[in-house]
Amino acid sequence: MKITILIPFYNEEEMIEKTHQVLSKELKTMVEFEFELLYVNDGSSDHTLELMRKIAEQDERVKYLSFSRNFGKEAAMLAGFDHASGEAVIIMDGDLQNPPYLIKEMIAKYQEGYDVVNAKRSRDGERKTTSFFAKIFYKVANTMMDVELTDGVSDFRLLSRPAINAITSLREYNRFSKGLFSWIGFKETVIEYENELRQAGQTKWSFKKSLNYALDGILSFSNHPLRMIFGLGLTCIAIAGLYIIWLLFNYFSDPSQAVSGYFTTIFTIVFFGGVQLVSIGVLGEYIGKIFYEVKGRPHYIIEESNIKKGDQE
Ligand code: UDP
Ligand code: MG
């Protein structure tokens, strides 16, 4: 039985060798399986690729793909799924934040018949603000999105061959894996582990990047924001209607006071202007998504690899 371990690396020169070492040591305890180590270099600008080549030379289980530039972790994962030859794929981070000792447990669950095995981490040691915003995101996401997301479930997971085939058949450009993994269905389970802190190198997630990620997720998995605009418009019309009735009532009860309402005029203009701008913004977001989707560009471009054509399958 062959299992692919898929790891995306982006500027991980400080971690890649250590990760490979720790992983190899762990895999030695599982002699009953054959492993393929599929490393994806996501256009790193440091020495990650050189180290990757070196590792691949020393260890024949290592297959690598190298992108022509940084395409993002989603693209790196997709490339990995496209090129994996194992009957199951385990996807991990390249910074040892996903402890390799869980691999054994994941495979055991897979053998019990689960197609998707998720690893859920605690949020210990994480920055308070990060946990706080993550919590809000999951609350909002789960009320707005058409799929169910679990807090703390990272991309660290095992996928069976049928699940991988389902994932790779989804070629949408705006990829939000957390949603896609849930969307495909299949029998899934969760195992829990303690959060590990990054030992070296930098996280690639700034606040702005995380916020964009959250927005992308919500927008690509629901049309609720569009519907909200509709609701907002209706509410405004209702309020405006009541307001006009009230004005008319005032006018007829005391016509001498007719020329007043400077404040209310300005207020209505500004308020409705705001509502319109927000609405156009939401429409724009969706049109932007369509724009990228329609171009049908590839998700990634591979510049270098040690996988020969026809090597897979
Ligand atoms: N990563 C990637 N491309 C990117 C950003 C990140 O392949 O554009 C990889 C990175 O090298 C690491 C994993 O994705 O292996 C998770 O990234 P990171 O540790 O920065 O995320 P965090 O653990 O802080 O959420
Ligand atoms: Mg990390």
mmCIF file of all heavy atoms in Angstrom, residues 38-41 49 52-53 56 62-67 83 301-309 311-312:
data_model
loop_
_atom_site.group_PDB
_atom_site.id
_atom_site.type_symbol
_atom_site.label_atom_id
_atom_site.label_comp_id
_atom_site.label_asym_id
_atom_site.label_seq_id
_atom_site.Cartn_x
_atom_site.Cartn_y
_atom_site.Cartn_z
ATOM 1 N N LEU A 38 6.062 13.844 -1.553
ATOM 2 C CA LEU A 38 5.863 14.775 -2.654
ATOM 3 C C LEU A 38 6.007 16.202 -2.129
ATOM 4 O O LEU A 38 5.170 16.689 -1.379
ATOM 5 C CB LEU A 38 4.472 14.545 -3.256
ATOM 6 C CG LEU A 38 4.078 15.350 -4.486
ATOM 7 C CD1 LEU A 38 5.132 15.257 -5.571
ATOM 8 C CD2 LEU A 38 2.750 14.836 -5.026
ATOM 9 N N TYR A 39 7.129 16.838 -2.486
ATOM 10 C CA TYR A 39 7.412 18.180 -1.993
ATOM 11 C C TYR A 39 7.145 19.202 -3.102
ATOM 12 O O TYR A 39 7.597 19.028 -4.229
ATOM 13 C CB TYR A 39 8.874 18.289 -1.534
ATOM 14 C CG TYR A 39 9.201 17.443 -0.314
ATOM 15 C CD1 TYR A 39 10.523 17.222 0.076
ATOM 16 C CD2 TYR A 39 8.179 16.870 0.452
ATOM 17 C CE1 TYR A 39 10.825 16.445 1.196
ATOM 18 C CE2 TYR A 39 8.479 16.098 1.568
ATOM 19 C CZ TYR A 39 9.798 15.886 1.938
ATOM 20 O OH TYR A 39 10.081 15.126 3.036
ATOM 21 N N VAL A 40 6.412 20.245 -2.752
ATOM 22 C CA VAL A 40 6.115 21.279 -3.743
ATOM 23 C C VAL A 40 6.781 22.582 -3.325
ATOM 24 O O VAL A 40 6.529 23.090 -2.227
ATOM 25 C CB VAL A 40 4.590 21.503 -3.878
ATOM 26 C CG1 VAL A 40 4.299 22.544 -4.949
ATOM 27 C CG2 VAL A 40 3.883 20.197 -4.207
ATOM 28 N N ASN A 41 7.667 23.097 -4.179
ATOM 29 C CA ASN A 41 8.273 24.396 -3.898
ATOM 30 C C ASN A 41 7.413 25.471 -4.542
ATOM 31 O O ASN A 41 7.329 25.582 -5.751
ATOM 32 C CB ASN A 41 9.694 24.437 -4.464
ATOM 33 C CG ASN A 41 10.267 25.841 -4.407
ATOM 34 O OD1 ASN A 41 10.022 26.580 -3.458
ATOM 35 N ND2 ASN A 41 11.011 26.219 -5.437
ATOM 36 N N LEU A 49 14.568 25.555 -2.832
ATOM 37 C CA LEU A 49 14.646 24.659 -3.989
ATOM 38 C C LEU A 49 15.959 23.881 -4.021
ATOM 39 O O LEU A 49 15.963 22.668 -4.254
ATOM 40 C CB LEU A 49 14.450 25.450 -5.285
ATOM 41 C CG LEU A 49 14.557 24.626 -6.573
ATOM 42 C CD1 LEU A 49 13.508 23.514 -6.611
ATOM 43 C CD2 LEU A 49 14.412 25.502 -7.812
ATOM 44 N N MET A 52 15.807 21.238 -1.590
ATOM 45 C CA MET A 52 14.848 20.227 -2.026
ATOM 46 C C MET A 52 15.500 19.273 -3.024
ATOM 47 O O MET A 52 15.360 18.059 -2.929
ATOM 48 C CB MET A 52 13.647 20.928 -2.663
ATOM 49 C CG MET A 52 12.367 20.127 -2.656
ATOM 50 S SD MET A 52 11.027 21.079 -3.372
ATOM 51 C CE MET A 52 10.315 21.844 -1.943
ATOM 52 N N ARG A 53 16.243 19.834 -3.974
ATOM 53 C CA ARG A 53 16.960 19.014 -4.956
ATOM 54 C C ARG A 53 17.920 18.063 -4.257
ATOM 55 O O ARG A 53 18.003 16.886 -4.595
ATOM 56 C CB ARG A 53 17.802 19.919 -5.871
ATOM 57 C CG ARG A 53 17.016 20.564 -6.991
ATOM 58 C CD ARG A 53 18.009 21.102 -8.036
ATOM 59 N NE ARG A 53 17.420 22.201 -8.773
ATOM 60 C CZ ARG A 53 17.797 23.473 -8.691
ATOM 61 N NH1 ARG A 53 18.805 23.835 -7.907
ATOM 62 N NH2 ARG A 53 17.196 24.412 -9.394
ATOM 63 N N ALA A 56 16.116 15.279 -2.567
ATOM 64 C CA ALA A 56 15.596 14.328 -3.557
ATOM 65 C C ALA A 56 16.704 13.420 -4.091
ATOM 66 O O ALA A 56 16.477 12.258 -4.422
ATOM 67 C CB ALA A 56 14.931 15.075 -4.696
ATOM 68 N N VAL A 62 11.632 10.750 -2.517
ATOM 69 C CA VAL A 62 11.234 12.159 -2.644
ATOM 70 C C VAL A 62 11.010 12.560 -4.098
ATOM 71 O O VAL A 62 11.896 12.452 -4.941
ATOM 72 C CB VAL A 62 12.286 13.099 -2.014
ATOM 73 C CG1 VAL A 62 11.902 14.554 -2.236
ATOM 74 C CG2 VAL A 62 12.424 12.802 -0.532
ATOM 75 N N LYS A 63 9.795 13.000 -4.379
ATOM 76 C CA LYS A 63 9.467 13.589 -5.686
ATOM 77 C C LYS A 63 9.223 15.061 -5.429
ATOM 78 O O LYS A 63 8.658 15.423 -4.387
ATOM 79 C CB LYS A 63 8.182 12.960 -6.238
ATOM 80 C CG LYS A 63 8.292 11.455 -6.480
ATOM 81 C CD LYS A 63 8.914 11.188 -7.820
ATOM 82 C CE LYS A 63 9.076 9.702 -8.097
ATOM 83 N NZ LYS A 63 10.175 9.093 -7.323
ATOM 84 N N TYR A 64 9.666 15.911 -6.328
ATOM 85 C CA TYR A 64 9.383 17.323 -6.093
ATOM 86 C C TYR A 64 8.873 18.032 -7.334
ATOM 87 O O TYR A 64 9.132 17.636 -8.466
ATOM 88 C CB TYR A 64 10.594 18.046 -5.487
ATOM 89 C CG TYR A 64 11.731 18.289 -6.465
ATOM 90 C CD1 TYR A 64 11.786 19.467 -7.217
ATOM 91 C CD2 TYR A 64 12.745 17.365 -6.618
ATOM 92 C CE1 TYR A 64 12.812 19.701 -8.107
ATOM 93 C CE2 TYR A 64 13.787 17.590 -7.501
ATOM 94 C CZ TYR A 64 13.811 18.756 -8.242
ATOM 95 O OH TYR A 64 14.838 18.978 -9.133
ATOM 96 N N LEU A 65 8.109 19.078 -7.078
ATOM 97 C CA LEU A 65 7.604 19.962 -8.125
ATOM 98 C C LEU A 65 8.031 21.362 -7.716
ATOM 99 O O LEU A 65 7.954 21.699 -6.539
ATOM 100 C CB LEU A 65 6.074 19.952 -8.161
ATOM 101 C CG LEU A 65 5.359 18.634 -8.370
ATOM 102 C CD1 LEU A 65 3.884 18.800 -8.028
ATOM 103 C CD2 LEU A 65 5.515 18.187 -9.806
ATOM 104 N N SER A 66 8.464 22.164 -8.679
ATOM 105 C CA SER A 66 8.834 23.516 -8.331
ATOM 106 C C SER A 66 8.097 24.494 -9.248
ATOM 107 O O SER A 66 8.166 24.380 -10.461
ATOM 108 C CB SER A 66 10.347 23.690 -8.459
ATOM 109 O OG SER A 66 10.687 25.011 -8.137
ATOM 110 N N PHE A 67 7.393 25.435 -8.640
ATOM 111 C CA PHE A 67 6.619 26.418 -9.411
ATOM 112 C C PHE A 67 7.515 27.530 -9.942
ATOM 113 O O PHE A 67 8.551 27.830 -9.372
ATOM 114 C CB PHE A 67 5.540 27.061 -8.524
ATOM 115 C CG PHE A 67 4.383 26.154 -8.202
ATOM 116 C CD1 PHE A 67 3.380 26.593 -7.340
ATOM 117 C CD2 PHE A 67 4.277 24.889 -8.761
ATOM 118 C CE1 PHE A 67 2.302 25.771 -7.028
ATOM 119 C CE2 PHE A 67 3.200 24.066 -8.457
ATOM 120 C CZ PHE A 67 2.215 24.504 -7.588
ATOM 121 N N HIS A 83 -0.425 15.247 -8.904
ATOM 122 C CA HIS A 83 0.743 14.418 -9.197
ATOM 123 C C HIS A 83 0.950 13.269 -8.221
ATOM 124 O O HIS A 83 1.887 12.487 -8.389
ATOM 125 C CB HIS A 83 2.003 15.289 -9.243
ATOM 126 C CG HIS A 83 2.026 16.228 -10.411
ATOM 127 N ND1 HIS A 83 1.404 17.452 -10.395
ATOM 128 C CD2 HIS A 83 2.558 16.099 -11.652
ATOM 129 C CE1 HIS A 83 1.557 18.036 -11.557
ATOM 130 N NE2 HIS A 83 2.253 17.240 -12.350
ATOM 131 N N ILE A 301 2.167 26.882 -12.565
ATOM 132 C CA ILE A 301 3.065 26.532 -13.662
ATOM 133 C C ILE A 301 4.297 25.869 -13.065
ATOM 134 O O ILE A 301 4.948 26.444 -12.181
ATOM 135 C CB ILE A 301 3.448 27.780 -14.484
ATOM 136 C CG1 ILE A 301 2.200 28.303 -15.198
ATOM 137 C CG2 ILE A 301 4.540 27.451 -15.504
ATOM 138 C CD1 ILE A 301 2.363 29.657 -15.831
ATOM 139 N N ILE A 302 4.571 24.658 -13.521
ATOM 140 C CA ILE A 302 5.712 23.917 -12.977
ATOM 141 C C ILE A 302 6.935 24.218 -13.823
ATOM 142 O O ILE A 302 6.917 24.102 -15.045
ATOM 143 C CB ILE A 302 5.415 22.404 -12.968
ATOM 144 C CG1 ILE A 302 4.271 22.132 -11.991
ATOM 145 C CG2 ILE A 302 6.664 21.621 -12.595
ATOM 146 C CD1 ILE A 302 3.783 20.703 -12.018
ATOM 147 N N GLU A 303 8.006 24.649 -13.161
ATOM 148 C CA GLU A 303 9.219 25.003 -13.873
ATOM 149 C C GLU A 303 10.207 23.843 -13.855
ATOM 150 O O GLU A 303 10.974 23.649 -14.782
ATOM 151 C CB GLU A 303 9.840 26.233 -13.202
ATOM 152 C CG GLU A 303 10.982 26.830 -13.986
ATOM 153 C CD GLU A 303 11.486 28.110 -13.341
ATOM 154 O OE1 GLU A 303 11.309 28.253 -12.113
ATOM 155 O OE2 GLU A 303 12.045 28.938 -14.064
ATOM 156 N N GLU A 304 10.155 23.088 -12.779
ATOM 157 C CA GLU A 304 11.134 22.013 -12.619
ATOM 158 C C GLU A 304 10.547 20.907 -11.766
ATOM 159 O O GLU A 304 9.763 21.159 -10.866
ATOM 160 C CB GLU A 304 12.371 22.607 -11.909
ATOM 161 C CG GLU A 304 13.480 21.618 -11.720
ATOM 162 C CD GLU A 304 14.608 22.197 -10.849
ATOM 163 O OE1 GLU A 304 14.897 23.406 -10.971
ATOM 164 O OE2 GLU A 304 15.169 21.431 -10.059
ATOM 165 N N SER A 305 10.940 19.653 -12.103
ATOM 166 C CA SER A 305 10.416 18.532 -11.328
ATOM 167 C C SER A 305 11.270 17.301 -11.585
ATOM 168 O O SER A 305 11.933 17.207 -12.614
ATOM 169 C CB SER A 305 8.970 18.245 -11.740
ATOM 170 O OG SER A 305 8.554 17.024 -11.187
ATOM 171 N N ASN A 306 11.286 16.366 -10.636
ATOM 172 C CA ASN A 306 11.985 15.106 -10.908
ATOM 173 C C ASN A 306 10.999 13.980 -11.200
ATOM 174 O O ASN A 306 11.344 12.817 -11.207
ATOM 175 C CB ASN A 306 12.924 14.732 -9.751
ATOM 176 C CG ASN A 306 12.152 14.405 -8.482
ATOM 177 O OD1 ASN A 306 10.960 14.709 -8.379
ATOM 178 N ND2 ASN A 306 12.809 13.802 -7.520
ATOM 179 N N ILE A 307 9.715 14.357 -11.427
ATOM 180 C CA ILE A 307 8.719 13.357 -11.822
ATOM 181 C C ILE A 307 8.719 13.314 -13.342
ATOM 182 O O ILE A 307 8.496 14.330 -13.990
ATOM 183 C CB ILE A 307 7.309 13.734 -11.334
ATOM 184 C CG1 ILE A 307 7.323 13.917 -9.822
ATOM 185 C CG2 ILE A 307 6.302 12.670 -11.748
ATOM 186 C CD1 ILE A 307 5.977 14.375 -9.264
ATOM 187 N N LYS A 308 8.987 12.128 -13.901
ATOM 188 C CA LYS A 308 8.964 12.039 -15.359
ATOM 189 C C LYS A 308 7.535 11.841 -15.827
ATOM 190 O O LYS A 308 6.709 11.291 -15.113
ATOM 191 C CB LYS A 308 9.836 10.873 -15.832
ATOM 192 C CG LYS A 308 11.314 11.136 -15.626
ATOM 193 C CD LYS A 308 12.108 9.886 -15.977
ATOM 194 C CE LYS A 308 13.153 9.550 -14.936
ATOM 195 N NZ LYS A 308 12.709 9.001 -13.672
ATOM 196 N N LYS A 309 7.256 12.300 -17.032
ATOM 197 C CA LYS A 309 5.907 12.109 -17.593
ATOM 198 C C LYS A 309 5.605 10.627 -17.694
ATOM 199 O O LYS A 309 6.448 9.832 -18.075
ATOM 200 C CB LYS A 309 5.843 12.716 -19.016
ATOM 201 C CG LYS A 309 5.597 14.198 -19.006
ATOM 202 C CD LYS A 309 4.441 14.558 -19.959
ATOM 203 C CE LYS A 309 3.962 15.981 -19.713
ATOM 204 N NZ LYS A 309 4.970 16.981 -20.090
ATOM 205 N N ASP A 311 5.169 8.788 -15.213
ATOM 206 C CA ASP A 311 5.634 8.206 -13.952
ATOM 207 C C ASP A 311 4.467 7.877 -13.022
ATOM 208 O O ASP A 311 4.509 6.957 -12.224
ATOM 209 C CB ASP A 311 6.562 9.188 -13.239
ATOM 210 C CG ASP A 311 7.904 8.551 -12.936
ATOM 211 O OD1 ASP A 311 8.199 7.533 -13.576
ATOM 212 O OD2 ASP A 311 8.643 9.067 -12.099
ATOM 213 N N GLN A 312 3.434 8.720 -13.140
ATOM 214 C CA GLN A 312 2.295 8.514 -12.255
ATOM 215 C C GLN A 312 1.378 7.445 -12.794
ATOM 216 O O GLN A 312 1.536 6.998 -13.907
ATOM 217 C CB GLN A 312 1.501 9.821 -12.120
ATOM 218 C CG GLN A 312 2.345 11.008 -11.735
ATOM 219 C CD GLN A 312 1.972 12.201 -12.581
ATOM 220 O OE1 GLN A 312 0.829 12.427 -12.822
ATOM 221 N NE2 GLN A 312 2.957 12.922 -13.045
#
